Amino acid sequence: SIMQLLQICPLHIHDALLHALGRAHSSSFAHRSELRQAKRIVVKLGSAVVTRGDECGLALGRLASIVEQVAMLQNQGREMMIVTSGAVAFGKQRLRHEILLSQSVRQALHSGHSQLNDMSLPVLEARACAAAGQSGLMALYEAMFTQYSTCTAQVLVTNLDFHDDQKRQNLNSTLRELLHMNIVPIINTNDAVVPPPEPNSDLQGVNVISIKDNDSLAARLAVEMKADLLIALSDVEGLYNSPPGTDDAKLIDIFYPGDQQSITYGTKSRVGIGGMEAKVKAALWALHGGTSVVIANGTNPKVTGHVITDIVEGKKVGTFFSEFKPAGPSVEEQTEMARRSGRALASLHPDQRSEIICHLADLLTERKEEILAANKMDMDLAVSAGHLPPAMLKRLSLSPAKLNSLAVGLRQIATAAQDSVGRVLRRTRVAHNLELEQITVPIGLLLVIFEARPDCLPQVSTLAIASGNALLLKGGKEAANTNHVLHQLTQEALSMHGVKEAVQMVSTREEVEDLCRLDKMIDLIVPRGSSQLVRDIQRAAKGIPVLGHSEGICHVYVDSEASIDKVIKIVRDSKCDYPAACNAMETLLIHRDILRTPMFDQIIDMLRTERVKIHAGPRFASYLTFSPSEAKSMRTEYGELECCMEVVDSMQEAVEHIHKYGSFHTDVIITENEDTAEKFLQQLDSACVFWNASSRFADGYRFGLGAEVGISTARIHARGPVGLEGLLTTKWVLRGDGHTVADFSEHGTMKYLHENLPAGQPLAGQRDSN
């Protein structure tokens, strides 16, 4: 309570504490995503951020990028304040230069020549350096902010300014007036007059704080000014559970006030007087006063140019201090649980993995009423919100028929799971009693991100279970209720063999970009959704492989020797069966000889009947007096009842067109000429190439894979619909009997045999038979 706090606090900060506790917005933000709402922000720049590596002079590049970010946020209408270090370093640089110049002149006068190498610089007193450097530091800030049409003001404070009521009120009033005039106050301790600090004498607890360094100044100022957010930049990524650099040190994403017993502190920053312990105490004090805090690295050249704006956008940067501890585990904890349980899943007998999958298939039909009730809630919410297009609503909707079809696919995967993990692909007798196997193993931990398509959840979960992979699932919020029930059923099935945690559903509060930063834990990301989603993930996942396709620009080529009946059926199915699917036709290529023929008229009539809007390619448009609207681009994925139509002179030209404008997903030729068809199938470099069949067959279930985790247009690893096989990799197992490489040297006693053995041949009992 406030009364208890007052009993333990020194008298001189009673009023300040009461003022802080009584502020209008007495609670900080609960989640990172809310930081976007921060209106008043204090940015604290530590000595290590502002100064160069030699601790003499300023890091101008870093400072310029920080100024740019602060000015950008200020111009967005936010109120920005900077608490800066750097006066001592700037002054040290100036005074050293003056002393060197003075000494060189003096020595030149006395000896006739300069002996700079013999000079020794005196120890420079910090207060003198601060006095010499403060004006230059402010002039630099002013010049930098002027580039962004932003005005600055200097404010120097000491501890006494906060302890004296009148001074504190004056400071508060001055800062508010500056912010009202859209000026960025730049605040620093008045290091020219402050007494030397007594270590830790003024940080005895989160309720007692005075100005000892810029960490405590920034915290005190943020609370005094009722700031929404304090960003403390230093030379470490944030708060670690043990000293950074130690083997097991892990960056703490969110720190809660009750967690301080779980961490140990390392040494202080390379410069400055505020170590991490001081930063944490100052941060907790500010948090207690209602200001959210993020401690992050302001020296990393890869992120310096956007660290502040990233934090304000709610991205997972540094350590976020929060008083609101969620009931469930963090995404990092979920990832650890999934990996641990996934290894147990991989070690199960294939029959046990099949049992889990069959049980899940049974649950989909036994509990269909529960699933459909949850799905109805999602559908009702989506319809009332009115922002989902009809194609997305169709994806979101589940039915008894869909669930039955899902169950059938799952049982197919259960059968395939019998010989997936641990299958011997190759056996080699390297030498006598030295035998090598290449066997299939799981990839590890998969992150699958999918949009409003709940049937994806059991399909992907089943493929992960069958292949022994751990799985993180991130579903679209539109299907939250359905996904929740389906995930519960998946974990219920996994529980029968004690591996419930192998499949985890990630909270919707986690940003996709933040998940992509878990590169030390996630082995593969599979995005299933719009081309924009896939592109965003491919950009964000810099350290993790992404399996997927960014676009499904699928072509159907109608050859001059095509059958009219097949053309109408295949083109209609490819475009109209499910226009939103990635394997739907987006461009119809027609041979020039078909123009102005009954076949051409029938194609156009069918598309009109199906209400398909046609966009003309440039060549097609040139043949027509009155043409449809010309296509803006030949690389468009329409995703609805629209398509582009273009004319080509030959099958060869069709292949060249597809190579130029396609996305290497699925492409089709319709012809009765077998030789033409085979050349098309051979020459076209797409993941799926079909002859006289709809592009919609490009699907894991239709290929007999049971289901697919996605469709890949990559050229390494899996390609096309990715089923069970695409989620496996291999490892090499060598069984020897004391063998060494030296045994096979020029003077050794052994020779390499490199005999290929049948993959199915057991190794047991072979050693002594040769």
Side-chain angles (χ1 to χ4, degrees):
S1 70
I2 291 180
M3 290 306 297
Q4 289 173 317
L5 296 177
L6 293 178
Q7 289 169 11
I8 63 170
C9 295
L11 288 172
H12 64 266
I13 65 164
H14 268 195
D15 292 339
L17 183 59
L18 282 171
H19 182 73
L21 292 175
R23 59 203 293 253
H25 69 304
S26 58
S27 62
S28 57
F29 294 124
H31 305 282
R32 278 186 185 270
S33 58
E34 296 171 353
L35 296 180
R36 297 186 184 99
Q37 303 167 26
K39 170 74 173 172
R40 183 171 292 173
I41 301 170
V42 175
V43 178
K44 179 261 172 181
L45 306 179
S47 300
V49 176
V50 177
T51 62
R52 293 201 313 247
D54 61 3
E55 302 174 24
C56 184
L58 303 182
L60 296 177
R62 281 201 296 265
L63 211 52
S65 64
I66 287 167
V67 165
E68 181 178 17
Q69 293 170 81
V70 170
M72 186 189 307
L73 293 170
Q74 178 86 358
N75 291 333
Q76 288 175 5
R78 303 178 200 268
E79 297 176 338
M80 305 298 296
M81 291 179 277
I82 293 178
V83 174
T84 185
S85 302
V88 173
F90 200 9
K92 188 187 290 187
Q93 183 187 37
R94 289 182 64 184
L95 291 181
R96 275 187 176 179
H97 180 76
E98 291 297 327
I99 291 168
L100 278 173
L101 186 63
S102 172
Q103 286 183 347
S104 64
V105 171
R106 207 176 300 122
Q107 287 198 355
L109 289 172
H110 284 97
S111 60
H113 64 277
S114 177
Q115 296 174 327
L116 292 179
N117 292 337
D118 298 333
M119 289 186 208
S120 58
L121 283 170
V123 176
L124 296 172
E125 205 274 327
R127 286 195 291 268
C129 290
Q134 184 64 39
S135 60
L137 178 66
M138 278 308 303
L140 183 63
Y141 273 120
E142 188 172 349
M144 286 181 169
F145 272 106
T146 300
Q147 302 301 311
Y148 304 97
S149 303
T150 302
C151 187
T152 61
Q154 173 182 267
V155 180
L156 294 177
V157 297
T158 66
N159 207 17
L160 297 174
D161 297 325
F162 286 92
H163 293 169
D164 183 282
D165 279 350
Q166 188 59 52
K167 287 184 176 180
R168 194 185 74 247
Q169 288 170 13
N170 290 344
L171 173 64
N172 189 310
S173 175
T174 299
L175 291 173
R176 287 181 184 281
E177 187 61 28
L178 291 171
L179 293 174
H180 180 69
M181 292 189 292
N182 202 31
I183 293 171
V184 176
I186 297 177
I187 303 111
N188 196 359
T189 48
N190 193 350
D191 292 326
V193 300
V194 293
E198 297 175 31
N200 295 324
S201 64
D202 52 23
L203 283 170
Q204 299 303 322
V206 296
N207 303 315
V208 184
I209 192 166
S210 59
I211 307 307
K212 128 182 189 174
D213 53 37
N214 275 348
D215 295 310
S216 49
L217 166 60
R220 189 67 184 268
L221 185 79
V223 171
E224 174 66 32
M225 294 301 296
K226 299 182 181 179
D228 301 306
L229 173 62
L230 165 60
I231 299 173
L233 298 182
S234 68
D235 57 352
V236 290
E237 302 300 324
L239 184 60
Y240 287 78
N241 59 353
S242 56
T246 57
D247 289 341
D248 297 324
K250 290 182 181 175
L251 180 67
I252 298 171
D253 170 40
I254 305 177
F255 187 74
Y256 305 98
D259 290 349
Q260 52 260 57
Q261 302 305 319
S262 65
I263 59 171
T264 54
Y265 295 101
T267 56
K268 290 183 179 180
S269 163
R270 65 173 172 83
V271 289
I273 59 175
M276 183 53 77
E277 189 169 8
K279 287 175 176 57
V280 171
K281 287 184 176 180
L284 290 173
W285 194 87
L287 186 69
H288 184 77
T291 296
S292 292
V293 183
V294 175
I295 293 178
N297 190 344
T299 64
N300 185 340
K302 291 183 179 178
V303 298
T304 306
H306 47 81
V307 61
I308 297 171
T309 49
D310 278 357
I311 289 169
V312 176
E313 286 171 14
K315 294 181 181 176
K316 196 170 283 189
V317 178
T319 299
F320 171 61
F321 285 71
S322 176
E323 291 188 297
F324 304 90
K325 194 161 190 173
S330 68
V331 69
E332 288 81 7
E333 290 168 336
Q334 284 185 288
T335 307
E336 291 283 3
M337 288 190 291
R339 184 178 282 282
R340 192 164 49 246
S341 198
R343 285 174 177 148
L345 172 69
S347 65
L348 292 177
H349 190 276
D351 288 343
Q352 293 174 304
R353 286 194 292 271
S354 292
E355 283 176 27
I356 292 170
I357 296 166
C358 288
H359 185 37
L360 178 56
D362 293 339
L363 289 172
L364 288 180
T365 50
E366 291 169 10
R367 307 267 281 275
K368 64 182 177 186
E369 299 303 327
E370 184 181 345
I371 299 167
L372 294 173
N375 187 244
K376 186 177 185 304
M377 289 172 62
D378 288 327
M379 289 294 293
D380 290 346
L381 287 169
V383 170
S384 62
H387 63 272
L388 281 188
M392 289 286 276
L393 282 173
K394 188 176 177 182
R395 282 188 179 186
L396 179 60
S397 172
L398 288 181
S399 64
K402 261 191 182 181
L403 292 176
N404 289 334
S405 177
L406 267 175
V408 171
L410 266 54
R411 291 190 179 94
Q412 286 181 359
I413 299 170
T415 303
Q418 292 290 331
D419 62 347
S420 57
V421 181
R423 186 172 75 256
V424 180
L425 301 179
R426 174 176 174 162
R427 274 198 175 110
T428 305
R429 182 176 287 119
V430 178
H432 181 61
N433 279 354
L434 184 64
E435 284 155 352
L436 180 69
E437 287 179 328
Q438 185 185 19
I439 63 172
T440 57
V441 293
I443 288 173
L445 177 60
L446 314 176
L447 167 61
V448 178
I449 301 165
F450 56 101
E451 292 180 326
R453 190 169 179 173
D455 56 337
C456 178
L457 193 151
Q459 288 178 335
V460 170
S461 298
T462 299
L463 288 169
I465 294 164
S467 56
N469 285 288
L471 179 63
L472 281 181
L473 290 162
K474 175 75 168 74
K477 61 180 181 294
E478 298 86 359
N481 294 298
T482 316
N483 286 339
H484 178 69
V485 172
L486 290 171
H487 178 243
Q488 283 185 322
L489 298 181
T490 303
Q491 290 203 318
E492 186 176 323
L494 287 162
S495 298
M496 69 186 297
H497 287 298
V499 287
K500 175 184 176 182
E501 308 297 343
V503 176
Q504 297 282 333
M505 175 72 78
V506 178
S507 155
T508 53
R509 281 199 173 273
E510 290 298 331
E511 299 288 340
V512 167
E513 197 167 319
D514 294 332
L515 294 172
C516 291
R517 289 194 175 101
L518 300 175
D519 58 303
K520 291 183 174 61
M521 294 187 275
I522 294 170
D523 298 297
L524 180 69
I525 301 176
V526 184
R528 291 191 63 170
S530 66
S531 56
Q532 187 60 50
L533 170 75
V534 179
R535 279 195 296 270
D536 289 346
I537 290 168
Q538 287 171 333
R539 274 195 298 268
K542 291 170 184 165
I544 311 172
V546 177
L547 187 151
H549 63 282
S550 59
E551 290 170 311
I553 304 175
C554 303
H555 294 72
V556 173
Y557 165 58
V558 181
D559 187 53
S560 60
E561 298 179 69
S563 156
I564 181 60
D565 293 337
K566 291 176 186 176
V567 169
I568 298 301
K569 280 181 65 181
I570 292 169
V571 172
R572 179 192 285 118
D573 193 74
S574 295
K575 180 69 255 185
C576 308
D577 176 66
Y578 193 175
C582 62
N583 57 16
M585 180 193 81
E586 302 294 4
T587 297
L588 177 63
L589 297 177
I590 56 173
H591 193 283
R592 182 185 57 186
D593 293 350
I594 296 173
L595 281 175
R596 301 186 182 91
T597 66
M599 180 187 288
F600 176 76
D601 293 339
Q602 283 184 256
I603 294 170
I604 298 295
D605 288 345
M606 180 274 293
L607 292 173
R608 281 180 179 156
T609 302
E610 297 290 341
R611 302 192 177 187
V612 177
K613 183 178 180 181
I614 299 171
H615 300 274
R619 193 165 175 196
F620 179 46
S622 70
Y623 281 98
L624 305 172
T625 309
F626 299 100
S627 69
S629 62
E630 191 163 338
K632 292 179 181 176
S633 168
M634 301 301 289
R635 292 191 178 93
T636 302
E637 183 179 18
Y638 295 100
E640 47 193 307
L641 287 173
E642 293 183 55
C643 74
C644 174
M645 186 178 285
E646 184 56 306
V647 176
V648 291
D649 287 341
S650 64
M651 178 277 293
Q652 194 63 47
E653 193 173 304
V655 169
E656 291 168 5
H657 178 100
I658 295 169
H659 283 166
K660 184 174 182 179
Y661 298 111
S663 60
F664 306 101
H665 188 297
T666 301
D667 298 290
V668 176
I669 182 171
I670 308 175
T671 184
E672 295 303 300
N673 187 315
E674 184 175 350
D675 184 53
T676 302
E678 289 301 329
K679 285 180 180 175
F680 182 89
L681 298 177
Q682 182 184 1
Q683 292 177 21
L684 194 63
D685 187 22
S686 294
C688 301
V689 192
F690 300 163
W691 172 24
N692 286 350
S694 168
S695 63
R696 293 276 292 120
F697 278 105
D699 174 83
Y701 177 75
R702 297 180 184 118
F703 277 15
L705 306 177
E708 67 185 39
V709 73
I711 291 182
S712 171
T713 53
R715 283 170 170 74
I716 358 182
H717 193 54
R719 197 171 183 213
V722 181
L724 184 53
E725 295 294 322
L727 298 181
L728 296 171
T729 183
T730 64
K731 72 177 179 183
W732 297 90
V733 177
L734 184 65
R735 294 180 174 89
D737 189 21
H739 292 76
T740 64
V741 170
D743 295 335
F744 297 86
S745 65
E746 188 178 345
H747 304 291
T749 58
M750 300 198 75
K751 299 292 181 190
Y752 289 111
L753 300 175
H754 292 144
E755 295 175 5
N756 289 329
L757 302 173
Q761 181 179 329
L763 289 174
Q766 289 181 348
R767 292 181 181 276
D768 300 324
S769 63
N770 297 294

